[in-house]
Amino acid sequence: MAASATTPSLRDAIHSLWDSNPEVQAARADLEAASARARAAAQPLYNPSVAFEAENADVNRRTAGISLSLDVSGKRKARTEQGLAELTASQASYDLLRRDVAARWLKAWSAATLAEQQRELGQRRVALMQRFDTLAAQRLKIGDISSPERDLAALALGEAQIQLATLQANEASARAALLALIGETPTQPVALEQSLPPASVAITPLPLDRRPELLQARAMQASAEASIQVAQRARRPDPTVSLTGGQVRAGPMNDRVIGISVSIPLPILNTGRAEIDAARAQADAATAGVRARQWTTRASLQESQARYDALRDAANAFGQGRAAAFGDRVALLEKLWRAGEIGTSDYLVQLKQSVDTALSALELQSQVWQAWFDYLSAAGRLTDWVDGRTEEPGNE
């Protein structure tokens, strides 16, 4: 896998995951709800009221009236700004969740792939031990090895079978983690590249304030600050203007009447100051949350980059050394044992070391890929990497 692009099959798999994952679907529904609330907040606050009155007495009265409260304090504007801020926060939360779900899937996918390779290596070890056990039985018959050495071969086969069961259990666990994200076993699993991911310098982290965590925190801060304006506007009373017209009949007299009235509530019993204080406290908390998120995001990037560089350097050094030549070493050991140049115990010790080293190499490769996905997430470039957008942030 190169830094410049992902494979089409991997990209398609992640986009399919985003379409089908229940967590993403729930976040998408929340985003649609936030969009609807933003549209609702932009609507006028007050609807007109219509009233009809009729009275039969000494004076017969027939009137109709219409009244409307006027938003003279700017409540609609404040609510609109808060709705848009909440929509921005919801969009940031949605993007962040998509990134986290993709990261979890990538880590589960790579873990399952490498667990499969470890299980295959465990099966190969069992096959080697079975072959060795058969050869040891034959050599015991002709007196080339002793009975204790023959028992060593049988014990080594039993140990290999036990370790294979452990590897099979690990593979099942890794596949279960993947199944929990996609809901079904993939019919055509995406293959993991054998080469290591690129060096961390191949991906330029996004500026701190453009990373998803900070976008979400700042959007929540903007929403909290907008709520202050909403609370301040809410405590200012709005007048209600009423217009009434009709007829009044008293005996032979029939007069037309028209009237206008203005009413305004008095904020005496509830001044609304407590709501403003609460909104300011929430805004202060959101501002502190932005600072805290800046610190944790910066520290996370440094930690994930250092861990990834260390693991990648170790895996690269292992791949270039003699320890990586597993097949050649196994063949050489059997040749030396057949020739009698090494004893049975030495052969088993060295073969076990070779297999354990090969398994450790696969584990190291898995850790490298896990660290790579963590680094991409911390750098704010995971979704860019998935979609093949790996240019410099300023040039995108």
Side-chain angles (χ1 to χ4, degrees), residues 286-359:
T287 301
V290 170
R291 294 199 304 271
R293 189 63 66 91
Q294 287 175 333
W295 294 357
T296 56
T297 302
R298 188 182 297 111
S300 176
L301 177 62
Q302 293 177 354
E303 184 273 336
S304 61
Q305 184 174 10
R307 178 162 49 88
Y308 171 67
D309 289 341
L311 289 170
R312 186 180 184 279
D313 289 344
N316 192 46
F318 177 85
Q320 295 176 356
R322 278 286 302 163
F326 172 73
D328 294 341
R329 189 165 53 256
V330 169
L332 177 61
L333 286 173
E334 183 174 337
K335 181 179 179 180
L336 293 175
W337 179 72
R338 282 176 172 272
E341 297 184 23
I342 59 173
T344 301
S345 59
D346 289 339
Y347 170 78
L348 290 175
V349 168
Q350 294 188 46
L351 180 60
K352 183 179 185 301
Q353 182 62 51
S354 298
V355 175
D356 289 344
T357 301
L359 289 172

